[in-house]
Amino acid sequence: MQHWLLKSEPDAFSIDDLKAKKISMWDGVRNYQARNFMKDKMQVGDLAFFYHSNAKPAPHIAGIIKINSKTYPDPTQFDPKSKYFDEKSTEANPRWWLIDVKFIEKFKEPIYLSELKSNKKLKDMMLLQKGSRLSIQPVSLEEWNVILDKLPNVKNLT
DNA sequence: GCCAACGTTGGC
DNA sequence: GCCAACGTTGGC
């Protein structure tokens, strides 16, 4: 199993929104590297951190979600009314793909970016690299466990 | 709101 | 294929 970190701005789609829906499409990814992670590397059942970027009072990991489907074409690319519409994409040859995610857990206390930065064991984490802004990132098992070790209350996720 | 870093576009 | 210009991301 691989682990991931998925970013979303909470004003657009938050972990509370996902909690209410239980399962949701992770739509709107318009970056090829992020898309390729979904298409080529993600497996149904993989776990991911739900990261709130551009969040107030500060960016943070808000909880845990699960990859709940294989990739399929992102329907928003075909919708002229969507802000994610892509006129160069066709149904026969879609450009953009997505997976469904399922709500697993919202942390009682968010894990702030500043906490991650101050942990030496996480210095190689992709999220913390200068200029890194990929919205879908792999997280190593070591990093995953270091972060979860801070959370004695998280239930067994497997 | 600022701005650094990155990604994309399109002229040549 | 280069690269300038533009657009986006996202922390601060």
Side-chain angles (χ1 to χ4, degrees), chain A residues 96-133:
Chain A
W96 306 112
W97 298 69
L98 53 67
I99 40 81
D100 290 341
V101 295
K102 180 181 183 183
F103 176 82
I104 299 292
E105 173 97 18
K106 180 185 177 184
F107 299 151
K108 283 182 182 165
E109 299 289 338
I111 303 176
Y112 288 104
L113 179 62
S114 56
E115 298 176 62
L116 302 174
K117 281 183 173 174
S118 64
N119 191 326
K120 280 185 185 154
K121 291 178 185 167
L122 298 175
K123 66 178 172 51
D124 293 328
M125 199 178 172
M126 188 180 287
L127 181 72
L128 306 184
Q129 304 314 302
K130 183 174 177 158
S132 164
R133 47 179 222 192

Side-chain angles (χ1 to χ4, degrees), chain A residues 4 23 28-29 36 51 56 68 81 96 107 111 116 130 136 148:
Chain A
W4 304 96
I23 292 171
V29 172
N36 291 343
Y51 181 83
K56 288 170 184 163
N68 209 56
K81 295 193 289 290
W96 306 112
F107 299 151
I111 303 176
L116 302 174
K130 183 174 177 158
I136 294 181
L148 279 195

Side-chain angles (χ1 to χ4, degrees), chain A residues 38-130:
Chain A
M38 286 195 289
K39 232 168 156 303
D40 304 334
K41 297 284 165 51
M42 272 187 182
Q43 307 270 343
V44 174
D46 284 355
L47 295 173
F49 289 128
F50 193 128
Y51 181 83
H52 280 167
S53 58
N54 261 320
K56 288 170 184 163
H60 58 271
I61 297 173
I64 293 172
I65 60 183
K66 183 186 276 188
I67 309 310
N68 209 56
S69 78
K70 296 185 175 180
T71 44
Y72 59 96
D74 181 341
T76 63
Q77 71 194 304
F78 306 124
D79 178 2
K81 295 193 289 290
S82 169
K83 66 183 254 194
Y84 298 120
F85 177 63
D86 185 343
E87 61 180 5
K88 292 179 184 163
S89 187
T90 63
E91 307 233 10
N93 189 17
R95 262 194 195 186
W96 306 112
W97 298 69
L98 53 67
I99 40 81
D100 290 341
V101 295
K102 180 181 183 183
F103 176 82
I104 299 292
E105 173 97 18
K106 180 185 177 184
F107 299 151
K108 283 182 182 165
E109 299 289 338
I111 303 176
Y112 288 104
L113 179 62
S114 56
E115 298 176 62
L116 302 174
K117 281 183 173 174
S118 64
N119 191 326
K120 280 185 185 154
K121 291 178 185 167
L122 298 175
K123 66 178 172 51
D124 293 328
M125 199 178 172
M126 188 180 287
L127 181 72
L128 306 184
Q129 304 314 302
K130 183 174 177 158

